[in-house]
Amino acid sequence: MASAHSIPSIEERFEFTSGAKRNLLIGGGIGLALVVLGAYLAANGGGHEAASHGAEHAASALAHATPEHAASGHEAAAAAEGHHAKSWVARIWANLWVNGVYFTGISVVGMFFISYNYLAQAGWSAVFKRIPEAMPAFLPFTGAILLITFFLGGHDLFHWTHEGLYEVGSAEYDKIIAGKRGYLNTPFFVARLVIYFAVWYGLWRVIRNLSLQEDEIGGTEFYEKSIRFGTAFLVVFGVTSSTSAWDFVMSIDTHWFSTMFGWYTLASWHVAGLAVITLTVVMLRERGYLRAVNSSHLRDLGKFVFAFSIFWTYVWFAQFLLIYYANLPEETIYFLERFRGHGGFFKAPFFITLFLNFFFPFLVLMTRDAKFTHSILKVACWSVIIGHYMDFYTNIMPGSVGAAAELGPLEWGFFVIFLCAFTYSVASQLEKANLIPRNHPMLEESLHHDIA
């Protein structure tokens, strides 16, 4: 339905002011200070206290066990202690990995969003497409972080990198992990990591350039090419979103596997990316930009965040229910480690994740008016952004640092650094082109987008 209100000017240029740059640099500096404080505390006993607490918990449980169970329990405890009692340095690598993986997902979802909008030839999102279009520019940064972290700290994070696991007769030999060596080996892992980022970023550069050319020249040629390249990206991402989830997250718990894990990770990345897009639109509107974005656009964005929060919960519960129902030890260990392992440390983050990612946004965004109210959208989006950081934290930390894990200055400092760097990258991209794509073929439809 066409809207009766007047259409604001589509000539808008975003100004990345020196004040905004300074604030982001200050935010990054605060994050760095938190990292230094957290590393100092960890180096002087923080992580050892957590490991000690986990060992005491295990000892208490073994004291009440039968002799047979106690014997096997001691073996399991010794193995867990050897694998999980990591140093504070390992915590730094793990935090770099958590944030690198999380912000990689948010960045690539920008490309995912514009690609499926191109494929559907959707018109409603044209007016704010510059925002998701700007997000993948951060991929080289996160790709470099993941590559460096793997080379310097991969031995601490990934159990399968230990050579003794593959030597028959060795005390470390593991038949199950040895059977996965064809896929989980360092050269192939690094090659896949490089390919993911090269293909994702390369396809984004193509679509970004086509979008900028369209802005200057006009016509439908660039739009039609964008549809083709966007479709190619969706085909590629349909595969690589799953394989990258196996590589970046699932391979940390090398014995464990889930056939739903690729969908689960994509659902988490997707809704976090949608929350970032929505939050950015709202904050730009509050600063006088994107005047052509109306309540109908906001309501549709709110619907996206609301719906895909439910979808993430559906995939989460489906994965959990299948494992719970089958009750196979090699599958249930993943959740038992998060419920009971390491002194029960991960139980609180596990349930906080569910609250922030489902219950809170579901209740807050349930009503129609809530989905276009700025204050409510901001609260709901921040809940989702922080909640899915916690999701990746609980997926990665138990298998990488175990009992040494904490949720203190070190963790939040890294999160703030990555958040400020990502914001700086997006703002830099928004400054390079007209904020509204003036020659987009679907712009007129988007300007008159109106839901009764």
Side-chain angles (χ1 to χ4, degrees):
M1 184 195 309
S3 174
H5 60 73
S6 60
I7 303 299
S9 171
I10 61 172
E11 294 298 324
E12 289 187 4
R13 299 290 298 198
F14 174 75
E15 183 185 0
F16 191 15
T17 64
S18 58
K21 293 177 182 178
R22 183 178 62 252
N23 289 339
L24 288 173
L25 291 174
I26 291 172
I30 291 172
L32 182 60
L34 288 172
V35 167
V36 172
L37 174 62
Y40 174 79
L41 293 174
N44 286 275
H48 297 301
E49 291 172 8
S52 174
H53 179 68
E56 290 171 7
H57 182 82
S60 175
L62 289 171
H64 297 88
T66 63
E68 294 82 0
H69 287 147
S72 61
H74 278 298
E75 292 174 7
E81 187 70 16
H83 179 47
H84 291 310
K86 308 289 185 178
S87 70
W88 63 273
V89 177
R91 263 182 74 194
I92 291 177
W93 298 133
N95 276 285
L96 282 169
W97 195 262
V98 168
N99 285 281
V101 170
Y102 183 48
F103 282 93
T104 290
I106 290 176
S107 301
V108 78
V109 160
M111 179 65 176
F112 184 49
F113 181 86
I114 58 177
S115 294
Y116 62 65
N117 274 275
Y118 272 129
L119 179 61
Q121 297 187 41
W124 74 280
S125 59
V127 73
F128 62 84
K129 76 179 283 283
R130 287 285 189 243
I131 293 166
E133 192 177 276
M135 289 160 58
F138 196 57
L139 285 173
F141 178 81
T142 56
I145 290 293
L146 292 183
L147 200 60
I148 293 169
T149 301
F150 180 76
F151 278 123
L152 297 181
H155 195 70
D156 289 332
L157 302 179
F158 295 92
H159 188 50
W160 56 264
T161 59
H162 297 209
E163 286 300 321
L165 297 168
Y166 308 100
E167 298 173 4
V168 178
S170 166
E172 287 185 79
Y173 178 70
D174 190 309
K175 184 178 179 180
I176 294 175
I177 297 178
K180 299 182 179 184
R181 193 175 194 180
Y183 185 81
L184 290 178
N185 60 80
T186 296
F188 193 25
F189 182 91
V190 171
R192 290 195 304 274
L193 191 154
V194 172
I195 289 169
Y196 296 148
F197 283 90
V199 173
W200 294 344
Y201 185 75
L203 285 171
W204 170 74
R205 286 300 323 172
V206 171
I207 284 189
R208 172 68 166 174
N209 289 335
L210 288 171
S211 177
L212 296 179
Q213 286 178 287
E214 177 186 81
D215 223 32
E216 297 302 320
I217 302 172
T220 60
E221 177 189 357
F222 302 109
Y223 178 74
E224 290 166 358
K225 286 182 179 179
S226 296
I227 292 175
R228 291 197 290 271
F229 281 103
T231 303
F233 173 81
L234 291 175
V235 173
V236 170
F237 194 59
V239 177
T240 56
S241 61
S242 287
T243 56
S244 62
W246 304 340
D247 292 341
F248 298 163
V249 185
M250 196 168 74
S251 71
I252 289 174
D253 293 276
T254 318
H255 279 188
W256 184 81
F257 63 91
S258 167
T259 55
M260 295 187 67
F261 199 80
W263 283 103
Y264 170 76
T265 303
L266 175 58
S268 188
W269 274 347
H270 187 214
V271 72
L274 290 172
V276 168
I277 293 169
T278 305
L279 183 63
T280 307
V281 169
V282 169
M283 294 180 73
L284 285 173
R285 287 190 85 218
E286 290 181 340
R287 285 157 179 76
Y289 297 106
L290 294 178
R291 295 184 299 275
V293 170
N294 57 45
S295 60
S296 293
H297 294 106
L298 291 178
R299 189 180 292 120
D300 282 346
L301 284 168
K303 288 175 186 175
F304 260 75
V305 175
F306 178 75
F308 282 97
S309 293
I310 296 172
F311 178 73
W312 172 85
T313 310
Y314 159 72
V315 178
W316 182 95
F317 183 71
Q319 177 177 260
F320 176 81
L321 186 63
L322 288 171
I323 292 172
Y324 175 83
Y325 183 77
N327 199 27
L328 299 175
E330 63 268 26
E331 294 181 347
T332 57
I333 185 61
Y334 186 82
F335 290 101
L336 288 174
E337 189 175 20
R338 284 149 182 79
F339 288 158
R340 304 175 187 172
H342 314 300
F345 172 79
F346 292 100
K347 192 171 185 178
F350 186 87
F351 287 105
I352 289 171
T353 295
L354 279 179
F355 175 77
L356 292 177
N357 292 334
F358 173 61
F359 292 106
F360 186 77
F362 178 78
L363 294 173
V364 166
L365 294 175
M366 185 178 290
T367 64
R368 182 176 185 272
D369 290 351
K371 295 181 182 69
F372 65 83
T373 304
H374 280 198
S375 57
I376 295 177
L377 281 174
K378 286 193 291 186
V379 170
C381 288
W382 274 116
S383 174
V384 169
I385 292 167
I386 294 172
H388 282 281
Y389 163 77
M390 297 287 287
D391 183 29
F392 279 92
Y393 178 89
T394 55
N395 284 338
I396 292 172
M397 284 295 186
S400 57
V401 295
E406 294 184 28
L407 200 54
L410 187 66
E411 285 68 27
W412 294 114
F414 272 117
F415 179 71
V416 170
I417 290 172
F418 273 78
L419 183 64
C420 290
F422 174 77
T423 305
Y424 199 104
S425 173
V426 170
S428 298
Q429 289 298 314
L430 292 178
E431 194 177 34
K432 293 179 180 179
N434 196 59
L435 204 53
I436 297 175
R438 61 171 74 91
N439 288 322
H440 193 288
M442 297 292 185
L443 182 58
E444 193 66 23
E445 178 182 335
S446 186
L447 292 172
H448 291 88
H449 183 57
D450 190 22
I451 301 173

